[in-house]
Amino acid sequence: MNDVAHFAVCREPFYQPQGKEIELYEAAYAARLPVMLKGPTGCGKSRFVEYMAWKLGRPLISVACNEDMTAADLVGRYLLDANGTRWQDGPLTVAARLGAICYLDEIVEARQDTLVVIHPLTDHRRMLPLDKKGEQVAAHPDFQLVISYNPGYQSLVKDLKQSTKQRFAAFQFDYPAPALESGIVCAETGIARELADQLVDFAQAGRRLKGHGLDEGISTRLVVYAASLIVRGVSPADACRMAMIRPITDDIDVIDSLDHAIAAIFG
Amino acid sequence: MAVPGLRNIADARQRLMASPESQAAWAALDCGFAVVADVFDECLSAAGQVLTAAEMPEYLAAARTIGKLGRGPEPLLAFLEHWPDVARQVPQALALPALMAAIRSLQKSPNAPAVTPLLQTLAAVIGQLRSADGLADYLRIALELADRTSGSIHGHQITEPSPALPEFFRSAPQLLAIVPLAGVRQWMLQGIRLTAQHPAQQRDYFALRTPESRRLLERERSGTLFADVERRLSLGLHALWADDSLLVPYSTAFAGHRQQPYLAADGLRLPDVLTDRPGSSGLARYRLMLAHMAGHRRWSQPLIADNWSPMQRLAVEALEDARIDCLLLRLYPGLTASLLAAHPQPLPGSCDAACENTLRHRLTRLSRACIDPAGTDPDPLIDEFAGRFRHCLADGAASTRAVAEIALAYAARSRLPSDQYARVHFADTEIDYRDDNRHLWIHLEAGDEEESFEPPPSAAASEPDGLPPRHYPEWDEAAQTWRPDWVAVYEALHPPANAADIDALLARHAPLARRLKRLLDLLKPQERVRIRHQENGSELDLDVAVRAWTDWRSGHLPDPRIQVSHRTAGRDISVLLLIDLSQSLNATLPGGQQSILDTAREAVALLAWAIDELGDACAIAGFHSNTRHEVRYHHIKGFSEAWGDPVKARLAGVSAGWSTRMGAALRHAGRMLSVRRSEKRILLVLTDGEPADIDVSDPDYLLADARKAVGELAGSGIDSFCLSLDPGADAYVGRIFGRQWRILDRIERLPEQLPMVYLNLTR
Ligand SMILES: Nc1ncnc2c1ncn2[C@@H]1O[C@H](COP(=O)(O)OP(=O)(O)O)[C@@H](O)[C@H]1O
Ligand SMILES: [Mg+2]
């Protein structure tokens, strides 16, 4: 079960580069540096990692972090079976043994005390101690740790410790420039270019309200959602409301202003 | 009136009139005032143009009654002068009986002198009232005012005239120009409530001399109020134009002339209210105003004004505005319908170029033809220039200069001799979503500047510490309305005294502190809490696992929940302690020399220390008030400040005085708390009595307002809790705080109780 093929990225994912990130990532991987992808949610970070794993020919193991996650969820734990207890590796351990890229998505969601387990893997030691099992796993030479981190996250308490941050090379992501974003939306959904442009115009309008009633801007992911609704026959205005406004706000003034923006843009 | 050469006629009844009919009418009037005799012929002939012969007797009978009210010649003069204007708009048969009934009713009361201003402004208000029904309502409102503001003793005998009524009649034309009758009545009722028992204030209110009066009137206006849509407008400006300019309203209620929006250095200026029109709501026009001004900001370049005549500038502005509109529609085509609905469409042939200046009319038509995608104009010249304009914008944004040239050419080609006339044809030429274009012109010569519309900076209100106050509304329970911006709250750091005094107080309570400390340690967030019996925990729970193992081995079904996980149990609390610092705290405790304030200070010191030990975020503030114009809010400790010497020094310096206007203080404290991100946000109020202030006589008023404030706080997720030092507080405190209160009536034990109460509340 825990073999490389199981985690391989077989088909080339569509990824639209925004800048030099592909070459820079290749260099970071060559040096086996742990990588941090910063940027708002839904701007293409996960897609980028998938693409890089495919390009580098490495298996990819992704973990969506959450508050209830414990160190054992990453590292592994004993399970009970017919012959007593049995150790089962967690995803981080599997990746370290196989030489996969391990992607910890939205890492701030995890509690700080959980995260210290990644420290020994991210410095020169490149090892993972399994305390409960009394084993030291030396990371496979191809193993790499990648985390994604959204610094704009609303909470003051949810931030990475300096001691964690200082272990990564970082990439700053943001929503793609309008022309690129529109191209992405077309490629993902097959929507007409002109409509994609209007959707992106609307997303831009919404993003300007960040900090003025919106905690987060409208993500590329949501633009893609809206486009895929339109492709299925939903009207642009309804699609924008359903995929790009309702999910992000309940503030009636904001909703009203964005409704006005829809009317202004789509007529 | 002595006429040389004639015998002075003592009684004007003997005066000779111009015709036999007017002589007969004069006789019927039976009036002895010479000033009336002087104008009678003239008035009668004016009346004759409006009234039928059959209506004349009724008119004269009314005049006769008015002449005999015993109030001198003024009422009759006013009636004779204005009645024709009234009767022109409302049939006399409907209007006059209503008027005379009102006059008779006033005449029977001490308010008889108000008949004069009633008649003097009647013609001015009838234009707004428009119908006999309107007039009847107007008079009913006036009589209601008279009734409710005339002094009476023991409720039966009206003896004092209403101070309000004459002022009301004088203000009426202005009132009705601004708000509909229903609004006038609301405004009147509020005025009665606010100024009851204060004749001077009442006079000022009804004469529109006080800011409250104006503000309340403005609130009664129909249409879209800027205040109601401000946030949406500024969000829209952000979203569509990436423009974060401040939006500032200007008052249209009391401005003499119609004013357009404008771009000012400190923000975009918009009218405070826009009436909804068919096909063009106020909100839609507000949005067009913003779009148009944002468009100017994006695409206009200023021009030098000096070399062009006002006429030429008018033309340039019209086309530049049209360019901006075209560009903004290009960017946001969805605005087309609302923009075309707001742009007037002057009809060809609606004016006469032979006798009036039609330049504005022509330019408006040209502008319309330029922006309307389907627009053509019967005038070939307008059509030609609209074509040139479109061509100019065909590939790109063009420029202010480029369209200015087209505008100048049009002004020259379409020039008429009447363009010099002062009489301008204005109808359908006001494009109210467009700004006044002051940003478009640079004036090289000093003194050529157009008059600035900027209102003079309002004389800064007296500000005790030079800090601007923050205004809060107050809830008027009896009227079920808000009094807007009613209370001024001044905030400041409390001046410090000696921090060592607080340390000394704490030292005195050392034994108590030790007892508290033990409790606190129990309450302190535990670093890690074990959660047992988890199927997916972080590690094996050996005890449970062994038990499961044995079960399994002995053929029983084991419990799979054999793991344990850990959780950090945290307290995430922000608390603001708000202390009533009113005069009553200076009272000393019975049987001691210590004042309530000193005891409270000790208790607060202990509480602050305890909260600090617990690690909760805590702020402390005090408040008191000296009328609604001066509520003081003293910061003693900020959330981010440590419990250290600067804070202790402020607490040591706290003194008491004045009254307890609680609602405003609660609202202000709520504002401080609302920015905290804690899971629990608590406002603890320490007070020794019920809300009161010297400018409020109704004891329920401030109480109801405080309850309202508590409700608002609850709405924004803030829990309020009252700790009252008043043993009799049961009678009222629940009406403010619901079930969230406790009475600490053994004040001498406060230092012990206060921290305990807090601990219990937050356990
Ligand atoms: N550069 C990009 N190339 C291709 N697709 C993209 C790109 N950026 C965003 N997307 C689209 O946006 C969606 C969300 O991106 P994702 O990588 O999941 O966001 P993140 O990980 O930053 O939250 C993707 O599923 C994809 O459709
Ligand atoms: Mg303009």
Side-chain angles (χ1 to χ4, degrees):
Chain A
M1 177 75 163
N2 283 349
D3 58 348
V4 178
H6 188 73
F7 298 106
V9 183
C10 306
R11 288 225 334 268
E12 173 177 359
F14 166 70
Y15 180 72
Q16 166 64 55
Q18 297 191 36
K20 297 185 291 181
E21 69 268 28
I22 296 179
E23 318 150 44
L24 292 176
Y25 189 100
E26 282 171 331
Y29 182 75
R32 298 294 186 274
L33 295 181
V35 160
M36 172 189 325
L37 306 179
K38 298 168 76 167
T41 179
C43 70
K45 301 186 295 292
S46 306
R47 182 60 68 87
F48 176 61
V49 182
E50 243 178 273
Y51 175 78
M52 290 313 301
W54 173 83
K55 190 145 202 281
L56 296 167
R58 298 313 315 155
L60 175 66
I61 298 180
S62 295
V63 181
C65 299
N66 62 65
E67 202 178 14
D68 295 330
M69 200 172 73
T70 62
D73 290 324
L74 287 175
V75 169
R77 58 165 56 89
Y78 276 107
L79 299 177
L80 204 59
D81 74 6
N83 305 312
T85 54
R86 172 175 64 84
W87 174 263
Q88 175 162 31
D89 281 343
L92 185 62
T93 314
V94 173
R97 291 193 207 272
L98 289 182
I101 293 176
C102 182
Y103 178 47
L104 303 182
D105 200 1
E106 302 289 3
I107 195 155
V108 280
E109 291 290 346
R111 286 201 319 277
Q112 300 296 316
D113 48 339
T114 306
L115 291 181
V116 290
V117 303
I118 67 175
H119 285 189
L121 268 179
T122 51
D123 53 32
H124 64 279
R125 290 173 283 175
R126 283 178 64 85
M127 328 180 313
L128 184 59
L130 308 179
D131 291 338
K132 298 273 153 49
K133 196 174 176 225
E135 183 189 343
Q136 299 266 16
V137 180
H140 186 286
D142 293 341
F143 166 79
Q144 188 196 24
L145 185 67
V146 182
I147 63 175
S148 83
Y149 164 53
N150 177 0
Y153 223 83
Q154 45 171 327
S155 168
L156 286 177
V157 274
K158 280 187 179 165
D159 194 9
L160 285 184
K161 283 186 186 163
Q162 272 301 325
S163 61
T164 306
K165 282 185 194 167
Q166 298 250 356
R167 292 164 183 275
F168 293 88
F171 287 74
Q172 179 69 56
F173 278 70
D174 207 340
Y175 307 119
L180 288 185
E181 187 166 27
S182 178
I184 293 171
V185 175
C186 290
E188 293 276 295
T189 63
I191 197 174
R193 180 69 193 215
E194 196 194 343
L195 269 172
D197 285 344
Q198 287 174 318
L199 285 175
V200 169
D201 279 349
F202 175 68
Q204 302 265 80
R207 285 167 195 166
R208 294 189 194 108
L209 296 188
K210 180 169 177 200
H212 299 274
L214 290 184
D215 296 332
E216 280 278 334
I218 295 172
S219 66
T220 305
R221 183 185 299 124
L222 293 182
V223 185
V224 171
Y225 284 0
S228 47
L229 290 172
I230 294 174
V231 168
R232 278 161 189 78
V234 177
S235 79
D238 285 339
C240 287
R241 276 186 208 114
M242 183 172 158
M244 294 159 87
I245 302 183
R246 303 298 135 145
I248 56 168
T249 183
D250 294 312
D251 179 327
I252 51 167
D253 286 342
V254 173
I255 291 176
D256 179 78
S257 304
L258 291 177
D259 274 345
H260 171 63
I262 291 178
I265 291 168
F266 293 95
Chain B
M1 165 136 296
V3 180
L6 280 183
R7 191 165 52 89
N8 208 1
I9 299 164
D11 191 341
R13 285 181 182 82
Q14 315 301 324
R15 266 307 172 83
L16 288 178
M17 293 296 143
S19 68
E21 299 88 86
S22 64
Q23 195 67 57
W26 179 243
L29 203 59
D30 186 26
C31 167
F33 299 119
V35 281
V36 178
D38 292 345
V39 297
F40 185 71
D41 266 324
E42 204 182 317
C43 291
L44 195 70
S45 83
Q49 306 207 328
V50 179
L51 303 176
T52 63
E55 286 174 324
M56 277 318 236
E58 197 192 359
Y59 162 73
L60 286 174
R64 181 184 155 106
T65 310
I66 292 168
K68 292 180 180 305
L69 293 176
R71 312 243 59 96
E74 275 79 20
L76 181 54
L77 279 174
F79 177 77
L80 291 175
E81 184 183 342
H82 296 306
W83 189 253
D85 280 341
V86 177
R88 194 173 291 127
Q89 302 189 51
V90 180
Q92 171 172 296
L94 297 174
L96 198 53
L99 176 68
M100 295 314 288
I103 291 176
R104 273 194 301 276
S105 159
L106 291 175
Q107 182 66 11
K108 278 189 292 198
S109 76
N111 289 311
V115 170
T116 308
L118 161 64
L119 291 168
Q120 281 168 337
T121 55
L122 196 61
V125 298
I126 200 73
Q128 314 285 344
L129 297 172
R130 287 212 177 79
S131 68
D133 283 349
L135 176 65
D137 282 351
Y138 169 70
L139 294 170
R140 191 173 314 140
I141 289 172
L143 291 181
E144 183 180 3
L145 175 66
D147 189 42
R148 299 181 59 166
T149 52
S150 305
S152 62
I153 294 170
H154 306 311
H156 16 264
Q157 195 63 55
I158 296 176
T159 54
E160 290 289 316
S162 158
L165 192 62
E167 300 298 345
F168 172 79
F169 284 132
R170 278 181 211 115
S171 311
Q174 206 182 348
L175 296 173
L176 285 166
I178 296 166
V179 301
L181 261 181
V184 170
R185 177 154 184 277
Q186 285 308 317
W187 170 82
M188 173 195 85
L189 293 177
Q190 307 228 32
I192 295 172
R193 286 188 28 70
L194 292 180
T195 61
Q197 266 76 54
H198 295 281
Q201 283 179 19
Q202 201 166 71
R203 248 188 305 272
D204 284 347
Y205 181 95
F206 283 93
L208 283 170
R209 277 192 292 261
T210 67
E212 281 96 47
S213 158
R214 285 158 167 257
R215 205 188 284 270
L216 286 167
L217 182 64
E218 211 140 328
R219 239 184 26 185
E220 300 299 335
R221 312 179 68 185
S222 56
T224 304
L225 296 188
F226 172 82
D228 294 340
V229 295
E230 175 176 7
R231 180 152 180 268
R232 291 192 221 172
L233 294 178
S234 79
L235 287 170
L237 186 64
H238 255 99
L240 290 178
W241 297 95
D243 189 329
D244 59 1
S245 299
L246 197 65
L247 305 183
V248 187
Y250 53 80
S251 169
T252 48
F254 300 93
H257 54 99
R258 213 192 64 82
Q259 190 183 326
Q260 284 174 291
Y262 59 98
L263 282 162
D266 60 346
L268 308 182
R269 302 303 179 93
L270 300 167
D272 56 356
V273 61
L274 281 180
T275 48
D276 297 329
R277 296 201 298 242
S280 180
S281 71
L283 180 59
R285 291 211 307 294
Y286 269 127
R287 285 177 160 148
L288 289 174
M289 288 175 180
L290 291 182
H292 186 86
M293 285 194 275
H296 272 306
R297 284 216 165 142
R298 190 169 291 185
W299 295 301
S300 286
Q301 305 86 29
L303 301 168
I304 292 168
D306 300 49
N307 298 328
W308 289 337
S309 71
M311 207 184 76
Q312 287 174 314
R313 277 190 261 160
L314 196 65
V316 170
E317 290 187 16
L319 274 208
E320 173 66 357
D321 282 341
R323 182 176 77 98
I324 296 304
D325 287 348
C326 285
L327 294 177
L328 77 86
L329 290 184
R330 215 174 264 181
L331 190 59
Y332 295 118
L335 298 178
T336 311
S338 75
L339 189 130
L340 290 181
H343 191 296
Q345 218 170 348
L347 294 176
S350 61
C351 54
D352 180 2
C355 59
E356 53 187 350
N357 177 344
T358 61
L359 181 61
R360 284 182 64 100
H361 169 86
R362 290 180 341 252
L363 289 173
T364 309
R365 276 168 61 187
L366 175 58
S367 159
R368 176 86 196 187
C370 289
I371 63 168
D372 188 345
T376 54
D377 194 281
D379 177 351
L381 193 63
I382 289 182
D383 239 16
E384 177 193 330
F385 274 86
R388 275 173 72 173
F389 171 90
R390 286 210 195 91
H391 181 74
C392 171
L393 266 75
D395 35 37
S399 67
T400 308
R401 276 242 133 246
V403 293
E405 269 161 34
I406 301 177
L408 293 177
Y410 177 75
R413 287 265 305 277
S414 77
R415 196 183 164 84
L416 295 170
S418 60
D419 288 354
Q420 303 301 329
Y421 290 4
R423 193 172 143 208
V424 177
H425 184 86
F426 267 107
D428 282 338
T429 64
E430 287 176 90
I431 310 176
D432 71 353
Y433 67 84
R434 289 181 179 172
D435 61 291
D436 69 4
N437 285 329
R438 64 181 60 191
H439 52 84
L440 202 56
W441 303 108
I442 300 171
H443 298 266
L444 297 179
E445 297 284 320
D448 198 20
E449 262 105 305
E450 249 110 296
E451 182 200 347
S452 161
F453 292 103
E454 203 77 22
S458 63
S462 74
E463 290 159 6
D465 282 342
L467 285 167
R470 189 179 275 285
H471 287 92
Y472 288 92
E474 208 163 67
W475 175 248
D476 186 339
E477 176 89 353
Q480 290 289 305
T481 60
W482 287 100
R483 298 181 179 179
D485 290 350
W486 196 252
V487 186
V489 175
Y490 295 85
E491 58 180 322
L493 277 183
H494 198 285
N498 191 356
D501 292 352
I502 297 293
D503 288 329
L505 282 181
L506 287 174
R508 236 178 60 201
H509 287 288
L512 175 57
R514 271 196 300 278
R515 257 188 296 144
L516 279 171
K517 179 87 169 106
R518 277 198 294 277
L519 253 178
L520 294 173
D521 287 341
L522 281 178
L523 272 181
K524 239 189 213 165
Q526 301 296 304
E527 283 308 310
R528 279 157 78 79
V529 186
R530 269 153 55 97
I531 311 174
R532 300 183 75 170
H533 302 292
Q534 302 276 296
E535 207 161 351
N536 285 310
S538 53
E539 55 194 271
L540 202 62
D541 188 332
L542 266 182
D543 293 347
V544 187
V546 167
R547 208 175 311 144
W549 174 243
T550 11
D551 286 350
W552 177 269
R553 279 284 143 136
S554 55
H556 292 97
L557 200 62
D559 182 349
R561 295 170 301 153
I562 55 162
Q563 303 236 341
V564 60
S565 58
H566 298 274
R567 200 165 59 79
T568 25
R571 286 167 65 92
D572 187 11
I573 297 176
S574 289
V575 56
L576 193 153
L577 177 63
L578 183 64
I579 315 169
D580 172 0
L581 291 179
S582 59
Q583 173 62 32
S584 49
L585 267 86
N586 287 330
T588 47
L589 296 179
Q593 318 101 29
Q594 215 185 7
S595 70
I596 302 179
L597 179 66
D598 288 333
T599 317
R601 196 196 320 272
E602 283 174 27
V604 168
L606 268 162
L607 176 63
W609 165 81
I611 294 177
D612 190 56
E613 286 283 307
L614 274 175
D616 295 346
C618 162
I620 306 173
F623 76 98
H624 48 199
S625 62
N626 176 24
T627 78
R628 69 187 179 88
H629 300 292
E630 192 176 359
V631 174
R632 296 301 199 107
Y633 185 97
H634 302 282
H635 293 281
I636 297 168
K637 178 183 182 302
F639 282 110
S640 54
E641 268 181 309
W643 169 240
D645 279 353
V647 172
K648 291 177 187 170
R650 277 177 233 137
L651 183 60
V654 160
S655 59
W658 297 349
S659 320
T660 315
R661 204 169 195 108
M662 196 179 278
L666 291 177
R667 288 186 182 97
H668 195 71
R671 186 182 285 261
M672 308 282 136
L673 264 171
S674 65
V675 298
R676 303 292 305 171
R677 291 162 182 271
S678 304
E679 218 165 274
K680 263 228 141 331
R681 292 173 297 179
I682 303 171
L683 177 58
L684 265 191
V685 186
L686 182 64
T687 171
D688 71 329
E690 60 188 307
D693 208 344
I694 52 172
D695 57 343
V696 177
S697 49
D698 175 1
D700 281 348
Y701 170 80
L702 288 178
L703 204 141
D705 174 58
R707 171 178 52 231
K708 194 83 177 166
V710 167
E712 290 159 39
L713 294 181
S716 50
I718 296 171
D719 294 317
S720 311
F721 197 96
C722 179
L723 301 168
S724 178
L725 306 180
D726 175 5
D730 322 44
Y732 57 85
V733 68
R735 287 176 53 201
I736 303 175
F737 291 93
R739 297 212 311 245
Q740 307 275 72
W741 52 272
R742 190 154 310 166
I743 294 175
L744 306 175
D745 49 2
R746 297 183 57 191
I747 296 178
E748 67 284 0
R749 290 190 51 204
L750 192 61
E752 183 183 342
Q753 285 187 333
L754 191 60
M756 287 304 296
V757 168
Y758 178 74
L759 295 184
N760 286 329
L761 279 178
T762 58
R763 218 199 274 268

